[in-house]
Every structure is written in C-alpha cells, then in structure tokens.
Amino acid sequence: MNKQQSIPIIETDVLIVGSGPAGGAAALLLATYGIKALMVTRFNWLAHTPRAHITNQRTLEVLRDVGVEQEALDIGTPQDLMGHNVICESLTGEELGRLHSWGTSPERKADYKNASPCPMLDIPQTLMEPILVSNAAKRGTKTRFNSEFISMTQDENGVTSKLKDRVTGQQFEVRSKYLLGADGSNSVIAKQLALPFEGEMGLAGSINILFDADMTKYVAHRPSVLYWVLQPGSDVGGVGMGVVRMVRPWNQWLAIWGYDINEGPPDLPDDEAIRIVRNLVGDQELDVKIKSISTWTVNHMYATKLSEGRVFCMGDAIHRHPPTNGLGSNTSIQDAYNICWKIAMVLRGNANEKLLESYDKERAPIAKQIVERANKSVADYGRIFESLGLMSTKDPAQMISNIAERKNNTAAGAAKRKALREAIHNKNYEFNAHGVELNHRYVSDAVATDGTDEPAYHKDKELFYHPTTFPGARLPHCWLYNDGKEVSTLDLAGKGRFTLFTGLGGEQWSVAAEILASNLNIDIFSVVVGPGQDVEDLFGEWARLSEIDDDGVLLVRPDGHVCFRAFTKCADPHHTLHEALSTVLGLS
C-alpha cells in the first residue's frame, strides 16, 4: 500500500473549517437544510474568552429562522440592560456623559421595535458558539476538534483538503464538494486562495483582562454593556481609552487596556492586571479574580473577493476590524446565512452553480462597509479627546486639569461642555447605527430587478433603517394575523424555502408558484394576505410596507431578501415568475 492510500479519506458534501460564529452558523444552517457537512477546528473546544458579544436584530432573526432564538433569549443579557453607555474618569469617579445605546433611548425604541420581531441582546461568544454548534450536531453536522487544516486542492468536481489530527499527529484528507473557510483573521484558506485584500493589519494593540468581581453597587443603577474610562495612561493603543465591559451582569467583566503595538504584546502578570482593573474601577480594595489575559490588534482590512472556485471564505477571514459597532460575529453569522441556502439549492440540483457567484457580489460590499465603519468609530473617539483637551498634552496632571475645566462657569468651560456633548452625540454612529445593521440591499444576479430605481434614503442611512421591498432588500417586518394569532412577515418567510406574498386578486401568482415549484423541484410557500384569507393585515401595516397593489407579488429568498417584485398583476404570471426564478437560480 502506498503512502497516499494509507491516508484516511473522509467524504462529505461541505467541509467547514472553523467553529466560530461563521463556521458554527454555517454548520447549523446546512444541517437544518439537510446537507451533509463536516466542521473541523484546530482547537480542543469552542471560544474560551467572551470576545464578540453584541447580537443585533438581524442575527437574532437568523437564529429565529432556524428555531434557536429562544435559547439565545434565555441566556443573553436583555436589551434594557445594555443601554447606558457611560463615559467616566473611573466607575467610582466623575461621569463625563452618557449615551443611550443599542436602541434603548425613548426616541429610538420604536425604530427598533418596528423593524424586527427580535430585540438586541448581549451574548458573549463563549455562550453563542455552543448554541450554534450543539444544535448543528443535533441536526446532523459532524464535528472534529483538534483537527488542523493544512492545505487544499480543488478540481471541477470538488475539493480535497489535507488536515492533521493534533492529538495523534496523523494526517487525513477530506473530500468535499465545497469548502467554507471560517478560520479567522489569520485565515490559512484565504492565504492559500490568494484572496485580494485592502487595508492594514496591526494598527494598535489591546489587552483583554477577563475577571470576576461583584460591581453591582457601581453599575446596577446605570446598566450598560460598556463603561469607557478616561484617565492618564489609557490613551496608549487600543481604542484610546480604557474600557470595562460587562460579560455577565454584574459579576463577570472584561477590562480592555491598550499597549504600544511597536513594542509587541506585553507579558502581563496577574498583579499588574489587578492594578489596571482597580484603577479603571476606582476601587483599590475591589476583590478581583483574574480569569484570563489575552491580546488582540486593531485591524482595518477586508477582502475584495471572497471565493475561488468551490471555496468560500467568511467571517473574520474576510473582514478584520476592531469591535466597535459590535459588527463582527453578526456579520459572520449573516455571511453564513447568505451562502448556505445557495449551496443547499445547488447540491439538491435546484439551482445552477452560477448562483454561488452571487456570494461575492452580495457580501464583499458588506465586508468593506463594516470594516470602514468600525474603524471610523474608533477614530471618532478623537472628538471626545479633543473636546476635553486631551490631545494637546501628555502631562497627566494637565490632562486632569483640562478635563476639570468643563465644570467652570466660564466661556471656555461652556465651549468645552458643548463640544463634549456633540462628540458624545456623534457616537450614535457606533451605538445606534440601525441602518448599518439592516439596510443591506443586495445587487447580484440572484436578484431579479423590477426596472425601478433604488429608493432614496430619506434619513441618515447609517443611523436609520429604511424598510423597502425593492429587490435585494431585506423583507420588511410587520405583524400579520393567522387564525387570530400574531405572526411576523419574517416568520412566514425563510425556513430554507422561497416565499411568495400576494393579496386579493393575486391568486394567479400562487397558482403559478405551485406549478413552478413542482416543475423546478423547489419549495415555494405562498401567502395570500387579505380579509377572509388565512393571513390578514389587521393593522394595515403590510399594505403600506409591501409597496405593491393587492394583486401584485413579492418573491422572497430563503435568507429573507426580496428577489422579485411586481407591483400589480400581469397577463402571464407563470411566465413572469418563471423568468424571475430562472434568473435568481441561474437557470436561464
């Protein structure tokens, strides 16, 4: 037996490399769609530090679609405990200001509530990953820990990947039809594919200090995820200030402290970490138990091409950025939501492989957007520093004096107060960027245009979500009623199938969909909305949000994005719908 024959070979439809938010979500989605998948990770378990945590509405919608939202709701910190974003000299010291965040302000609550059936949550990565991976395993995805990806070769029929068992040292191969590279910011797969990137890595250095301490008396009256601390020494590296982040209310925390990137990551002993924590809190007697210390760098880099042949990269492998705006794990999970239904359709023979080309066109602009937004949010802290006079001196005593000047009843004090208020208000672009999270409008061949121009944004498109059924946009949420029970439009869509929405007079669309579903061997769920129908629009919200007449039609992809729209009935609904589906599925 030769050496090649002695290497064990595993066969699967999809190999997923990486078990983080992107890989875990892909494993869960593919299992839910009935696709045979193997997920491997070089580590012996899932995330051991909390890292990503902000979980936005769109991500909760993905979890809702695959039936695990309630697990997240049960374990996450609810939205009303996330919102008092505090800027202070220490947790026991003077506050400089606060900002209602994550949709918790009185003026923004309605925006968030109207946009989605799901709230925002704070779920540390240590808790999110087990939800994804355990449910994926229950539904059929096979998982191998301690399995390191080494290399791959691909041909017209599949991908052969070489891996190493880190326990035995034995090499083995996986033969798959497709490979998903979710192997993080040091992605071996992205490197082997030679994906093109723009930007720069290692712009600044940060230290994460995970610790236990009961800080209820300092924070319960102003609940927040993040407490930003301005004090001498906190301006080195990181995001330019110290951060105390809630991991679990109110006894598990993460202190974030910067280091000089040019000097490399420091070796931080526990006693020094405790000193940093106590200074940030402002309590030199605080009982602190250090759990772990790790480092990370501020990056500004995104891939302009996300795939090559049968290999698709996702998550931190293609967008590398600081944690500002809380976009990392959210975008990673949504990357998986975009590609997995497409792979499932192709593997089942429902779509041409051309459909997979739309992943690049749809998600590469998102990768660029979130990397640039996250780094802009870091830069925006400079306005706060400038307003307090912290950019003009390195002398700690002068810094303290400059901060205190805002309390003076003088023209200079008034100017400083105004500048500080405006600088904090500007941070809405980090902490209430609802549009960044929900305004994704895909442009690709997996969307059939309706001949209209993209609707303009009538308010700031980063701050505010603009619901529309323009093809490529996320299906707007509103509450409809089925047998008297409340149901979201988003609940009627998804579930790995196409969904057709029409109204009274549009029944021929549903007839056409039923015939096409049989002919094309795809699942199309038809919803007729109107009085006397199974689904009723009792508040009249759908009539406004759908942007079509009662006899018009919307066709929604499995990932909840509108892919075809007709404002009213046409002479030949079967032909029109067939043309649209053929375009979306790459069959034409």
Side-chain angles (χ1 to χ4, degrees):
M1 183 176 291
N2 62 39
K3 183 177 181 181
Q4 184 176 3
Q5 291 174 324
S6 68
I7 297 177
I9 298 177
I10 300 170
E11 293 188 359
T12 189
D13 285 337
V14 183
L15 172 64
I16 305 163
V17 180
S19 60
L28 175 55
L29 286 158
L30 290 172
T32 304
Y33 298 153
I35 300 301
K36 183 180 178 182
L38 169 66
M39 180 171 63
V40 300
T41 173
R42 66 190 300 270
F43 302 107
N44 68 341
W45 189 234
L46 306 177
H48 64 282
T49 60
R51 290 178 291 195
H53 57 113
I54 297 298
T55 306
N56 66 33
Q57 290 175 293
R58 186 57 179 151
T59 295
L60 259 290
E61 290 169 4
V62 177
L63 301 188
R64 185 183 182 97
D65 185 27
V66 294
V68 300
E69 179 198 18
Q70 191 58 51
E71 289 185 46
L73 293 171
D74 289 343
I75 205 166
T77 298
Q79 190 169 3
D80 60 355
L81 296 183
M82 295 170 62
H84 283 241
N85 225 310
V86 175
I87 300 174
C88 57
E89 294 179 343
S90 71
L91 265 62
T92 62
E94 282 196 73
E95 276 197 43
L96 306 178
R98 296 188 199 181
L99 179 72
H100 283 294
S101 301
W102 317 117
T104 59
S105 72
E107 63 177 327
R108 295 305 304 272
K109 280 183 179 180
D111 293 339
Y112 284 70
K113 193 171 182 63
N114 287 333
S116 176
C118 304
M120 291 193 71
L121 286 177
D122 188 282
I123 310 175
Q125 197 165 331
T126 44
L127 301 180
M128 174 64 85
E129 288 186 12
I131 293 175
L132 301 174
V133 173
S134 64
N135 282 286
K138 290 174 186 175
R139 299 179 191 186
T141 292
K142 302 294 188 291
T143 302
R144 286 185 64 128
F145 294 96
N146 296 300
S147 299
E148 183 174 1
F149 176 88
I150 298 174
S151 64
M152 65 185 167
T153 56
Q154 56 177 316
D155 53 51
E156 62 180 14
N157 296 315
V159 185
T160 300
S161 300
K162 183 178 291 185
L163 298 99
K164 182 178 74 172
D165 187 314
R166 300 184 73 194
V167 176
T168 65
Q170 182 183 33
Q171 289 193 0
F172 62 98
E173 291 183 348
V174 176
R175 179 66 178 172
S176 61
K177 295 182 176 69
Y178 297 100
L179 169 62
L180 298 181
D183 52 338
S185 59
N186 294 313
S187 173
V188 174
I189 295 173
K191 184 178 295 185
Q192 290 188 11
L193 290 178
L195 295 183
F197 281 83
E198 293 185 6
E200 187 178 354
M201 295 283 281
L203 299 176
S206 281
I207 306 167
N208 279 356
I209 304 169
L210 180 64
F211 68 97
D212 288 343
D214 182 0
M215 296 204 291
T216 305
K217 63 182 179 181
Y218 300 135
V219 299
H221 61 290
R222 47 179 181 177
S224 178
V225 172
L226 298 164
Y227 299 82
W228 304 87
V229 182
L230 279 170
Q231 56 187 223
S234 66
D235 59 328
V236 177
V239 296
M241 67 174 77
V243 183
V244 180
R245 176 195 137 191
M246 180 275 295
V247 176
R248 303 297 288 167
W250 304 112
N251 52 27
Q252 190 169 93
W253 300 85
L254 196 70
I256 306 174
W257 193 252
Y259 69 87
D260 188 339
I261 193 74
N262 297 313
E263 296 182 2
D267 182 12
L268 194 69
D270 282 3
D271 58 349
E272 177 63 12
I274 291 172
R275 185 191 69 81
I276 291 173
V277 168
R278 286 175 173 169
N279 284 344
L280 289 173
V281 176
D283 180 353
Q284 298 303 319
E285 303 300 322
L286 183 68
D287 184 14
V288 177
K289 181 180 180 181
I290 302 295
K291 307 285 286 186
S292 68
I293 299 172
S294 57
T295 60
W296 52 276
T297 59
V298 174
N299 303 314
H300 187 150
M301 183 170 281
Y302 54 88
T304 56
K305 187 173 185 294
L306 314 183
S307 66
E308 183 65 44
R310 293 174 169 270
V311 184
F312 302 84
C313 289
M314 58 180 62
D316 287 355
I318 56 171
H319 35 80
R320 306 164 186 179
H321 52 90
T324 39
N325 284 80
L327 296 168
S329 64
N330 292 293
T331 308
S332 299
I333 290 170
Q334 291 160 37
D335 288 341
Y337 199 38
N338 184 284
I339 188 61
C340 286
W341 74 267
K342 298 173 182 177
I343 287 178
M345 288 274 182
V346 171
L347 286 173
R348 289 196 293 258
N350 305 138
N352 188 283
E353 283 192 337
K354 182 182 177 183
L355 172 62
L356 303 180
E357 296 174 8
S358 64
Y359 175 67
D360 265 44
K361 295 178 181 178
E362 294 180 352
R363 295 305 293 177
I366 305 301
K368 177 180 180 180
Q369 176 200 25
I370 64 123
V371 168
E372 295 194 336
R373 177 63 260 172
N375 279 277
K376 178 67 165 59
S377 292
V378 172
D380 284 346
Y381 283 107
R383 287 187 59 177
I384 295 176
F385 306 151
E386 288 174 2
S387 72
L388 293 168
L390 299 180
M391 305 290 280
S392 59
T393 181
K394 291 293 184 182
D395 177 39
Q398 187 61 52
M399 286 183 179
I400 294 171
S401 177
N402 289 352
I403 292 174
E405 188 181 22
R406 80 192 191 285
K407 295 184 286 187
N408 294 342
N409 184 21
T410 61
K416 185 161 285 189
R417 291 191 293 274
K418 179 182 179 183
L420 178 60
R421 288 194 300 270
E422 291 175 349
I424 293 175
H425 181 75
N426 184 62
K427 294 305 291 178
N428 278 293
Y429 284 94
E430 177 178 354
F431 299 113
N432 292 297
H434 205 205
V436 172
E437 298 164 359
L438 295 181
N439 279 333
H440 302 158
R441 299 175 181 178
Y442 293 149
V443 179
S444 77
D445 291 339
V447 174
T449 62
D450 63 1
T452 63
D453 294 331
E454 181 181 353
Y457 292 95
H458 56 276
K459 292 192 290 187
D460 190 303
K461 70 178 182 179
E462 287 195 302
L463 292 181
F464 297 97
Y465 165 56
H466 293 68
T468 179
T469 59
F470 180 75
R474 163 187 169 272
L475 176 70
H477 153 74
C478 77
W479 293 112
L480 299 174
Y481 289 82
N482 183 3
D483 290 333
K485 296 180 181 178
E486 197 172 58
V487 59
S488 170
T489 49
L490 300 180
D491 293 333
L492 296 170
K495 301 172 180 63
R497 67 193 180 194
F498 283 87
T499 305
L500 182 144
F501 288 88
T502 189
L504 293 175
E507 290 83 1
Q508 287 303 309
W509 293 111
S510 294
V511 172
E514 183 177 357
I515 296 170
L516 286 168
S518 177
N519 292 345
L520 298 175
N521 193 31
I522 61 175
D523 192 359
I524 306 175
F525 179 64
S526 290
V527 179
V528 180
V529 182
Q533 305 302 307
D534 288 340
V535 179
E536 296 187 274
D537 180 22
L538 297 181
F539 282 106
E541 284 295 301
W542 179 241
R544 176 180 62 85
L545 288 170
S546 68
E547 299 176 329
I548 58 173
D549 294 338
D550 285 345
D551 57 2
V553 69
L554 295 176
L555 185 65
V556 182
R557 306 187 323 188
D559 62 355
H561 281 257
V562 177
C563 61
F564 170 69
R565 176 175 69 173
F567 294 102
T568 188
K569 64 182 179 182
C570 65
D572 190 346
H574 182 275
H575 174 75
T576 301
L577 200 57
H578 183 269
E579 288 274 302
L581 277 166
S582 296
T583 297
V584 172
L585 296 174
L587 301 176
S588 56

